[in-house]
Amino acid sequence: TLNNVSSAGIYVINADSKRDGNPTAYRYAPMAAYVSFGTYDTTTGVPTTLVPATVNAKSTTVDITKTADERDKVVEVGKVVTYTATTKMPYVSANNNVTSYKLVDTIDGAKYVTVAEGVNKGKVKVDITVGTTTETAYVDVVKNKDRKDTITADLTKYLGKATPAENEYALNTYANATVTISYKAEVTSTEVNNTIIPNDGKNTYTPAIDRLYTGTVTLTKTGENNKRLSGAEFVLVRKSGTGENATVKYAIATKTEGKSEYTVTAWGAEADATTMTTDTNGNIVVKGLDDSVNKMTYEFKETKAPEGYSINETNANVKWATEGAGVEAATRTGAASMNDTKLSALPHTGGIGTTIFTIAGCAIMIAAAGFFFASRKKANR
């Protein structure tokens, strides 16, 4: 009960308590109390007393947030992102007598990055900070009931114990302390759904969700008089960096059956690149790309021109139509275009055209050869 204040108002309360015989402080979440006026002086109308305010300190639902380091929520298939989850340690009380506390993380559309070798091979490296204490844990990837990859960060030891043994924390040492965990995952699909939820075996929590998306680009191929050209073949080039330090990779992709639509699955050498072919509308659609144009660029390189046209040696650059437009991450699109030149042909007007000049030229060459051999024969006599 708040009864030792001298004026009315709203008070913020940060409380600690100590159990008899135990110097460990029990930390409560911040609370607020309103102290109102009580009786008034009937003559002056001035309040003369205050009404004590009662505040019930109890455990509440744990809030948890989840973010990825790709702030615009648009990524490229194959990119490694860092996920971070933030929450607080629960307060253990008679009403919330939890004995375990874990953070369960589930991912779909990406795969956890695991240790490649050593004693922790195949495990996920998870960085954990509780209050001012930091540790690194290596956890297994398991399938949940929905067959999705899951990892678990066990924070039970930070609850503490009423009678701590050596190297164990006292009960509620870290109650309400901020918790952060982070790990890495590689994007494998055009949409990534990542959730994390606390699990203490007793209470029901709302999961935190983070979603990532990939961008989609469309190439349009035209020819003479802007005719849409089908059958043109391309590879998609990714360039990161500039000048001599630029890194060049080529898209390896899967094709949607019945469409000139491709989804990037990896990046590799030119020899491994997937050949993409324009449809009857002269289009190629590619999914699984990142619209972060300051980090990398995409170019379509023509490898085979349609019949009757020459290959365009200048690559077609992708421009993101939705860049800076405030469009949702799930609908980021870009475009590229290329025009081919029609191959030259000998003129045909119904007359002899160049035929007479061709015959004349051949006659001159034959005559010259005859004079040459005749002069040599005469010189040898």
Side-chain angles (χ1 to χ4, degrees), residues 51-134:
V51 177
T54 299
V55 179
N56 294 320
K58 59 182 180 180
S59 60
T60 59
T61 300
V62 174
D63 291 327
I64 188 166
T65 60
K66 189 66 177 287
T67 59
D69 60 351
E70 194 69 28
R71 299 302 180 187
D72 68 351
K73 301 302 181 184
V74 182
V75 295
E76 176 187 78
V77 171
K79 184 171 184 179
V80 174
V81 298
T82 299
Y83 282 101
T84 301
T86 303
T87 185
K88 290 184 179 294
M89 287 297 297
Y91 172 76
V92 181
S93 66
N95 293 328
N96 190 44
N97 187 26
V98 296
T99 57
S100 70
Y101 189 63
K102 302 175 182 180
L103 300 181
V104 182
D105 188 278
T106 304
I107 203 162
D108 183 32
K111 61 182 180 181
Y112 295 107
V113 174
T114 57
V115 179
E117 56 186 16
V119 295
N120 293 309
K121 182 178 180 180
K123 295 179 181 291
V124 180
K125 177 178 177 288
V126 181
D127 294 320
I128 301 173
T129 299
V130 182
T132 58
T133 300
T134 300

Side-chain angles (χ1 to χ4, degrees), residues 206-224:
T206 301
I209 303 173
D210 185 85
R211 291 186 175 90
L212 299 176
Y213 304 90
T214 62
T216 299
V217 300
T218 300
L219 168 72
T220 301
K221 179 69 169 177
T222 57
E224 191 176 47

Side-chain angles (χ1 to χ4, degrees), residues 63-322:
D63 291 327
I64 188 166
T65 60
K66 189 66 177 287
T67 59
D69 60 351
E70 194 69 28
R71 299 302 180 187
D72 68 351
K73 301 302 181 184
V74 182
V75 295
E76 176 187 78
V77 171
K79 184 171 184 179
V80 174
V81 298
T82 299
Y83 282 101
T84 301
T86 303
T87 185
K88 290 184 179 294
M89 287 297 297
Y91 172 76
V92 181
S93 66
N95 293 328
N96 190 44
N97 187 26
V98 296
T99 57
S100 70
Y101 189 63
K102 302 175 182 180
L103 300 181
V104 182
D105 188 278
T106 304
I107 203 162
D108 183 32
K111 61 182 180 181
Y112 295 107
V113 174
T114 57
V115 179
E117 56 186 16
V119 295
N120 293 309
K121 182 178 180 180
K123 295 179 181 291
V124 180
K125 177 178 177 288
V126 181
D127 294 320
I128 301 173
T129 299
V130 182
T132 58
T133 300
T134 300
E135 68 167 311
T136 297
Y138 294 90
V139 301
D140 293 316
V141 180
V142 299
K143 297 287 187 182
N144 65 8
K145 61 182 180 60
D146 297 319
R147 305 302 300 165
K148 294 180 180 179
D149 285 346
T150 299
I151 60 173
T152 299
D154 192 346
L155 306 175
T156 300
K157 68 181 181 180
Y158 293 103
L159 293 174
K161 294 185 177 181
T163 55
E166 187 178 0
N167 296 325
E168 289 184 335
Y169 301 112
L171 188 66
N172 286 320
T173 296
Y174 286 100
N176 297 312
T178 298
V179 177
T180 61
I181 70 166
S182 64
Y183 61 86
K184 297 181 183 297
E186 180 183 344
V187 177
T188 60
S189 183
T190 56
E191 182 176 338
V192 183
N193 291 293
N194 181 245
T195 63
I196 189 166
I197 188 169
N199 181 4
D200 60 17
K202 292 187 176 182
N203 298 297
T204 300
Y205 299 99
T206 301
I209 303 173
D210 185 85
R211 291 186 175 90
L212 299 176
Y213 304 90
T214 62
T216 299
V217 300
T218 300
L219 168 72
T220 301
K221 179 69 169 177
T222 57
E224 191 176 47
N225 299 320
N226 288 322
K227 177 184 177 181
R228 297 292 184 98
L229 300 181
S230 63
E233 296 182 358
F234 290 84
V235 292
L236 181 63
V237 184
R238 182 189 70 180
K239 293 181 179 180
S240 56
T242 57
E244 295 181 355
N245 296 323
T247 300
V248 179
K249 296 286 186 180
Y250 293 82
I252 301 169
T254 59
K255 184 178 184 296
T256 302
E257 186 176 356
K259 298 181 180 180
S260 288
E261 181 180 279
Y262 301 82
T263 300
V264 175
T265 58
W267 297 92
E270 185 172 10
D272 302 319
T274 298
T275 299
M276 305 176 184
T277 307
T278 56
D279 60 16
T280 54
N281 294 317
N283 291 333
I284 293 173
V285 176
V286 185
K287 299 181 177 182
L289 305 178
D290 190 344
D291 71 340
S292 300
V293 293
N294 293 329
K295 300 178 183 178
M296 65 187 72
T297 59
Y298 300 105
E299 300 176 1
F300 284 94
K301 177 181 178 180
E302 188 173 21
T303 58
K304 181 181 178 181
E307 184 177 355
Y309 288 85
S310 60
I311 289 179
N312 192 328
E313 300 291 344
T314 303
N315 292 354
N317 294 319
V318 171
K319 295 182 179 180
W320 291 93
T322 54

